[in-house]
Amino acid sequence: MKKKILVTGGTGYIGSHTVVELQVAGYEVIIVDNLSNSIREVIDGIEKISGIRPAFYEVDCNDKPSLQNIFIEHRGIKGIIHFAASKAVGESVHKPLEYYRNNIVTLLNLLELMPEYNVEGIVFSSSCTVYGQPDILPVTEDAPIKPALSPYGNTKQINEEIIRDTIHAGLPFKSIILRYFNPIGAHPSAEIGELPNGVPQNLVPFVTQTAMGIRQELSVFGDDYDTPDGSCIRDYINVVDLAKAHVISIDRMLENKSDDKLEIFNLGTGRGVSVLELINAFEKSTGVKVPYKIVGRREGDIEKVWANPEYANKILGWTAKETVEETLVTAWNWQKRLRERGIQ
Ligand code: UD1
């Protein structure tokens, strides 16, 4: 019988790509998502790729009784991947309570339900934001956690602490915390991808929308940083590569491959790419121009951060395979598909 995995936020960007990879690997997936930042049609995209329609519940993970009903209806859920969260850094500054409720109460509900339903492990979506501006690059998992610059960033830190304390207290499950660097791109089939709500805050959707003519020009936030070309540096990782690391993490917990009840991994490529290099790579690999202008720095931006992914490479046997150039082509193909479908 297929092992059942509950994926919260499973119609979202990283969630949907992970659902596909789980299904391909032979897991039965149950999605719970409140559709606050995604649409129901994502399920069709998932089904087109994998040939399997996952069970779907339009439920907010803050609603514990409804969440509990899912565990009752699908007895034997073995693992959880918890993506469901609000993720707009700027918005979190203005709506801190909404962010603390959405991002923290949801985790508490899941952790409380896990022992009741004998769930063996939870993978948690964390972020390189916990490192702030690291003193040493590339950043390893034992780099110090820096004070968060936004309520969003703080929720990731607090959630990591909640998981650590819960495991330390001896609750009967395991956890793997995955600290993502900057996920970009879309599934190569262009059936699923990133669907930003309104004006994109993240770089790549803004680039593809500008290339499509939806936005007039891209603003590059600062060219006076202490980097070779003056623009900020990030570690952009292909979303399908990222999704695969979740399947490996689930396998690892459910097959007891590690004695550690809590493990933390950086998921990045190990390669730092500047904003200007990324624009250039997009233009080269797609042949489409992206009009841009340099503007002032964005408040709260980190100057440069990229991963040391060696620990994940060695322990998980996982490596990011796709190049930024190949990945930007998938992001562009997805943007073109959205246009064909009249969505964006
Ligand atoms: C941000 C968060 C990160 C979070 C992620 C979730 C910060 C410091 N980091 O990542 O914690 O997990 O969002 O979505 O807020 N840029 C432009 N023009 C644009 C958009 C972005 O120049 O229109 C630049 C930014 O200044 C940055 C880079 O592109 O240097 C990447 O930005 P973005 O995609 O927003 O990701 P992060 O800021 O790294």
Side-chain angles (χ1 to χ4, degrees):
M1 221 176 58
K2 288 183 174 183
K3 288 183 185 163
K4 295 180 191 172
I5 308 295
L6 181 74
V7 179
T8 76
T11 51
Y13 175 42
I14 309 172
S16 56
H17 290 81
T18 301
V19 169
V20 167
E21 296 307 318
L22 284 167
Q23 290 176 324
V24 169
Y27 288 102
E28 180 184 338
V29 179
I30 299 128
I31 295 179
V32 45
D33 200 304
N34 65 2
L35 299 180
S36 62
N37 197 22
S38 59
I39 55 175
R40 196 178 285 273
E41 288 69 28
V42 172
I43 308 281
D44 302 330
I46 291 171
E47 187 180 6
K48 274 196 190 134
I49 301 170
S50 68
I52 305 163
R53 196 165 184 86
F56 170 67
Y57 294 84
E58 186 180 343
V59 162
D60 191 318
C61 296
N62 274 317
D63 174 359
K64 197 173 174 190
S66 299
L67 203 51
Q68 182 156 18
N69 283 337
I70 299 173
F71 284 94
I72 294 168
E73 216 168 299
H74 294 272
R75 287 267 169 205
I77 290 176
K78 291 266 178 230
I80 298 174
I81 305 183
H82 183 38
F83 292 104
S86 303
K87 64 164 191 177
V89 176
E91 183 186 55
S92 77
V93 176
H94 303 290
K95 298 178 178 170
L97 292 177
E98 194 176 306
Y99 271 67
Y100 285 114
R101 174 171 292 282
N102 281 350
N103 293 6
I104 291 176
V105 177
T106 50
L107 176 70
L108 297 179
N109 286 342
L110 290 167
L111 295 179
E112 283 170 357
L113 289 166
M114 284 176 74
E116 229 177 294
Y117 295 93
N118 302 316
V119 183
E120 293 171 23
I122 181 165
V123 176
F124 176 66
S125 273
S126 191
S127 162
C128 68
T129 192
V130 300
Y131 300 120
Q133 176 60 64
D135 301 322
I136 300 169
L137 288 167
V139 62
T140 53
E141 288 80 356
D142 50 17
I145 302 298
K146 295 272 177 79
L149 294 174
S150 68
Y152 161 79
N154 206 20
T155 64
K156 292 293 173 194
Q157 295 193 5
I158 294 170
N159 278 346
E160 287 199 4
E161 286 169 9
I162 291 171
I163 291 172
R164 199 191 53 216
D165 292 346
T166 311
I167 300 274
H168 185 243
L171 267 85
F173 51 78
K174 297 182 170 186
S175 181
I176 292 185
I177 292 174
L178 299 177
R179 293 180 179 154
Y180 313 148
F181 283 67
N182 287 56
I184 62 165
H187 194 272
S189 65
E191 296 293 352
I192 53 173
E194 190 168 7
L195 249 185
N197 215 341
V199 181
Q201 305 297 310
N202 296 117
L203 179 61
V204 169
F206 208 107
V207 165
T208 58
Q209 288 197 6
T210 308
M212 186 53 87
I214 300 167
R215 313 274 159 211
Q216 223 175 1
E217 66 186 348
L218 166 74
S219 295
V220 172
F221 298 134
D223 69 347
D224 56 351
Y225 284 100
D226 182 20
T227 60
D229 65 21
S231 64
C232 292
I233 296 178
R234 297 287 185 274
D235 184 336
Y236 295 96
I237 173 169
N238 179 284
V239 68
V240 177
D241 276 338
L242 188 69
K244 288 179 177 160
H246 293 74
V247 179
I248 295 172
S249 300
I250 283 285
D251 290 346
R252 185 171 173 83
M253 289 189 305
L254 301 189
E255 290 166 18
N256 294 314
K257 288 185 184 161
S258 166
D259 293 333
D260 295 331
K261 295 191 79 189
L262 173 63
E263 293 182 294
I264 301 180
F265 297 99
N266 280 344
L267 297 182
T269 67
R271 179 181 167 209
V273 174
S274 76
V275 176
L276 294 172
E277 283 173 336
L278 184 132
I279 297 169
N280 201 16
F282 181 86
E283 291 183 339
K284 266 210 185 124
S285 52
T286 63
V288 185
K289 281 265 158 223
V290 182
Y292 72 87
K293 63 168 186 259
I294 310 286
V295 300
R297 293 180 174 195
R298 180 171 71 176
E299 203 189 335
D301 257 342
I302 300 298
E303 182 169 84
K304 48 190 169 207
V305 60
W306 63 95
N308 180 335
E310 279 170 21
Y311 189 60
N313 297 162
K314 188 169 152 225
I315 305 294
L316 295 179
W318 167 91
T319 314
K321 296 222 161 59
E322 304 297 324
T323 63
V324 167
E325 291 76 10
E326 290 163 336
T327 305
L328 288 169
V329 172
T330 65
W332 179 232
N333 289 341
W334 167 244
Q335 182 70 60
K336 288 192 285 188
R337 181 66 61 87
L338 288 175
R339 172 53 58 91
E340 282 164 24
R341 285 163 51 185
I343 298 178
Q344 272 168 356

